[in-house]
Amino acid sequence: MSALPAVDAPVQATLDADGRLVAADEALLALQVEAGGDPNGLLVIPALAALVRLVQRLRIPISRGVEVAQGETDISMWVQLRPDDEGMALAIVDWQARTPRRAPEDVPAIHLAVAGDEGHGWNWQVDTRLRFRTVDQDAEELGHEPPRIGDPLTAYFQLDTRDDTAMPLLEALALRLPFCNQSAILRADAAIAYRISGAPLFDNGGALMGYRGRAVRIDEVPAPAPQPEAEVVHIFGPDLGRRLDQALRQPLGRIIANASTISGQLEGPLRQDYAEYAADIAAAGRHLLELVDDLADLQAIERPGFTTAQEEVDLADLARRAAGLLNVRANARRVRIQTPPLGERAPARAEYRRVLQILVNLIGNAVRHSPEDSIIWVRVDDEAGRARAIVADQGGGIASEDHERIFERFERLGLAGGEGSGLGLYISRKLARAMGGDVTVDSAMGQGARFTLDLPGWTA
Amino acid sequence: MNVGNEPAQQRAPGGGGGEGGRPGVRLFRRLIEDVRHGADLAQLADSAPRRWSDALLAETRFHLAGMMNAVELAIGLHVSDARVESMLAELGPGYARHAIEEELEILSPELLGHLRRRAAVAMLLRQNDGSGAPVSIAAVDPGAGNDRYLDALAALGIAERRWSAPMLLDAPMRPDLPAEHFHDLAWTVAALLIRGCEADAAAGDQGLFRALVQATERLIARHDEGRGAFALAQLCARSLTRASRLALAPAALVDARLLLFAALAEGEIGLSIEQVIEALIDPLDEPRHAVLRLMNIDDAVAFRTMELLAPLTGAAARGDIGLAEFVEDYRLFDAAKAVAWLMRVSSPPALVEKLALMERAQ
């Protein structure tokens, strides 16, 4: 919701004991008339009238925010209403015209954003049978007849099927996925061409409710400048990471939750071996989920133009948080994580969540490789414009010839079958380098390992 | 330790068991019953097993007692009849807060629901050393808002410090309540004082009645809900741009400033400030996940939030495992689920109620 210019001076009015306007500033009078009220009649603006009734009933001053609809905009106002001997004194001390609050389904997190389509075209929504449910523009705005509600999308648009080109809409519909760049022409006028993009809508139970999207006319707007084909080195193809993420995250979550419930015997007692099977399933599910997370990260950081935010982060604070996240796992292995003492700081210029991710990976690895009853030290220092976090463990150590190899993709040095995806250190180093730093290791066989996250220091 | 809503699970504060006639036991029982009626029914959460923790109950009592002390004091100051003044003096200070323990049903469930949310806000502030420190929040986005924002932020910090003062039940606390709740509390105190004075005077003493009614009316007419912490938090939030609201939201959570966060979320997701607080302290994780996801809160801040809320939600009993699972589940709780939750709670209350009834019947 974007704030539009506000009315600075307080808007004032006086009302009699029945709630009739005795006098009012122009802005309020305009609202009153627009709401169908008389300039000297009962205040009829619904939100304000409700406050008037409250004051009449309780005889108590009111001071609170309300929203009033005015045509295409909402007015957010802070209203003070005070009863007096003659009636009530009303003052609106903060008057902001705003674009109307979006309905929940338009929350930005799921708002369809198709590169290059912002600001053009019109919105549509269809049900599961691709029949139009809503269209946000009329014939005058479109320059041609809009679709009628209830008509099938395919009866309105002729989808482009030339030369066996892909049919993004149909493929997406089959897979319940978003789509973009579906070319189409109007059946009523073949000279009018559109590019259609959309995203699926799901109900609370996960069932498909339809699609919502945007149609952009391409026969009259200049085509977007062709983007140079980026040199992308995708290990699984450009989209697989995202699709894996979408396809696997939810079912894996369910598997983990159900298996955890069974292994925890929360629904009743169970044979011990069955409970253990369920625990194995939950552990395997978590491992797969980590892999999905890693793949999603991998795809993000290998995308051309990947950048990180540059904000002030405190490595000591992040180290304590990362250790806190891993305490459960460490306790289970009887490993103690010693973190920088409270009060110690090591300010760095980096992205908060990425640094946390790196430290979770480094400390997580240390927990994984540490023997029982050992200690992991996490230290920070801040010197010569660099900030460093050091994670040292008492594990078996890493041979010098493997020091670089462990940072390669899918390298799972010394890990048993189900542990680690082999991507953690690779991703951590990539992230650190993207932030102007690095992750390095110092270790020898039998002497534990010491990983250092080095980042630019924060200078105000 | 948490206390369930079921009468069989209820435990008297201070370890007193059984159906003892002590006011504390009755207060406890009635608080539970009334709040279950007011808050649980309103939210259709009667299956929620752990709505009140001991700490939350103690905090609620502290606020209720402190504000009743203040209202009682103020009514006494507004009484202009010397005879009634001396009758009030006879009752002694803090009469109303003791008497309410015998008459708890005269408080409205709405007021108790509000006190519960207020107590939750105060409990979080107590957990954080920097409670009510406006400086840290102002520093997050120095260019945010305007003078009104900074004034409200400073006033909010002061109000929050008052809420997290040492828990002395005999001390007065500024009754900075929304108008409806203040109105309810003021007449409650007035009724208790009239009943108390009548015990020593003839019942139906019109002079006494008139004097206390006039004093209470004067007090109510002077109330300014705009100076209350809820209103100040809303004033802060409404003076910010959307970008600033989203930037400040995680900082507010990290600083344990639930009220400020709720006000920022109110402007962003359209639920009322009270609904946002209810969602955050709900025994179930779904509302919490949804509000945090809708506000773009990252995993680390979500973890910190859950850590702070654990004593309120019952998650404290599960220790680190509960916190880790909360974050794991949060990562799986995507925006679409958050929006589905928002749509559900934004639906007409009657519809939500019917759907919940049907769900429970299955």
Side-chain angles (χ1 to χ4, degrees), chain B residues 214-274:
Chain B
Q214 284 172 350
T216 309
E217 281 175 343
R218 278 188 214 120
L219 178 65
I220 287 173
R222 291 168 60 88
H223 182 68
D224 182 359
E225 67 169 0
R227 290 167 63 199
F230 274 70
L232 290 169
Q234 287 171 308
L235 276 170
C236 271
R238 63 182 283 112
S239 66
L240 297 169
T241 62
R242 177 166 189 260
S244 293
R245 281 200 295 266
L246 289 173
L248 286 173
L253 285 177
V254 169
D255 276 4
R257 301 186 69 179
L258 200 60
L259 193 55
L260 182 58
F261 173 81
L264 295 167
E266 180 186 49
E268 195 54 35
I269 63 180
L271 294 180
S272 73
I273 193 168
E274 306 245 2

Side-chain angles (χ1 to χ4, degrees), chain A residues 63-64 76 94 96 108 204, chain B residues 180 221 225 238 242 300 320 344:
Chain A
S63 179
R64 61 183 62 172
S76 173
D94 184 17
Q96 298 173 13
N204 217 10
Chain B
E180 298 91 327
E225 67 169 0
R238 63 182 283 112
R242 177 166 189 260
D320 282 355
R344 204 167 65 241

Side-chain angles (χ1 to χ4, degrees), chain B residues 270-303:
Chain B
L271 294 180
S272 73
I273 193 168
E274 306 245 2
Q275 282 176 304
V276 175
I277 295 174
E278 275 301 334
L280 289 172
I281 62 175
D282 197 281
L284 302 175
D285 281 340
E286 187 196 13
R288 217 167 2 263
H289 281 150
V291 168
L292 296 177
R293 181 63 72 212
L294 289 167
M295 291 301 288
N296 294 337
I297 299 299
D298 66 25
D299 295 357
V301 176
F303 178 83

Side-chain angles (χ1 to χ4, degrees), chain B residues 309-331:
Chain B
L309 291 170
L312 284 166
T313 61
R318 301 184 58 221
D320 282 355
I321 292 175
L323 295 175
E325 283 177 0
F326 174 82
V327 175
E328 276 184 4
D329 293 343
Y330 182 57
R331 295 185 74 175

Side-chain angles (χ1 to χ4, degrees), chain A residues 1-3 8 54 57-66 76-80 82-83 93-96 98 101-102 104-110 202-204 209 249-250 252-254 256-257 260 286 289 293 297 318 321 324-325 327-328 331 352-353 356, chain B residues 148 178-180 182-183 187 217 220-226 230-232 234-235 237-242 245 254 266-271 286 293-294 296 298-301 303-304 320-321 324-325 327-328 331-332 335-337 339-344 346:
Chain A
M1 185 156 39
S2 61
D8 287 333
L54 187 62
R57 186 162 63 86
L58 304 182
R59 301 296 298 166
I60 191 169
I62 297 286
S63 179
R64 61 183 62 172
V66 295
S76 173
M77 44 179 79
W78 192 266
V79 181
Q80 293 173 342
R82 182 169 289 278
V93 293
D94 184 17
W95 176 301
Q96 298 173 13
R98 296 176 169 182
R101 190 188 299 286
R102 285 184 289 264
E105 61 267 29
D106 283 336
V107 165
I110 62 157
F202 297 101
D203 69 11
N204 217 10
M209 291 168 61
R249 193 176 287 280
Q250 194 172 0
L252 276 175
R254 285 200 190 123
I256 294 168
S260 299
R286 286 196 185 93
L289 204 56
D293 289 339
D297 281 337
L318 281 165
R321 287 173 191 274
L325 286 167
N327 261 338
V328 179
N331 289 341
Y352 182 95
R353 69 188 184 100
L356 185 66
Chain B
R148 192 182 295 133
E180 298 91 327
F182 180 79
H183 183 268
W187 287 117
E217 281 175 343
I220 287 173
R222 291 168 60 88
H223 182 68
D224 182 359
E225 67 169 0
F230 274 70
L232 290 169
Q234 287 171 308
L235 276 170
R238 63 182 283 112
S239 66
L240 297 169
T241 62
R242 177 166 189 260
R245 281 200 295 266
V254 169
E266 180 186 49
E268 195 54 35
I269 63 180
L271 294 180
E286 187 196 13
R293 181 63 72 212
L294 289 167
N296 294 337
D298 66 25
D299 295 357
V301 176
F303 178 83
R304 158 77 171 158
D320 282 355
I321 292 175
E325 283 177 0
V327 175
E328 276 184 4
R331 295 185 74 175
L332 299 173
K337 286 182 186 162
V339 170
W341 175 85
L342 182 60
M343 286 173 73
R344 204 167 65 241
S346 309

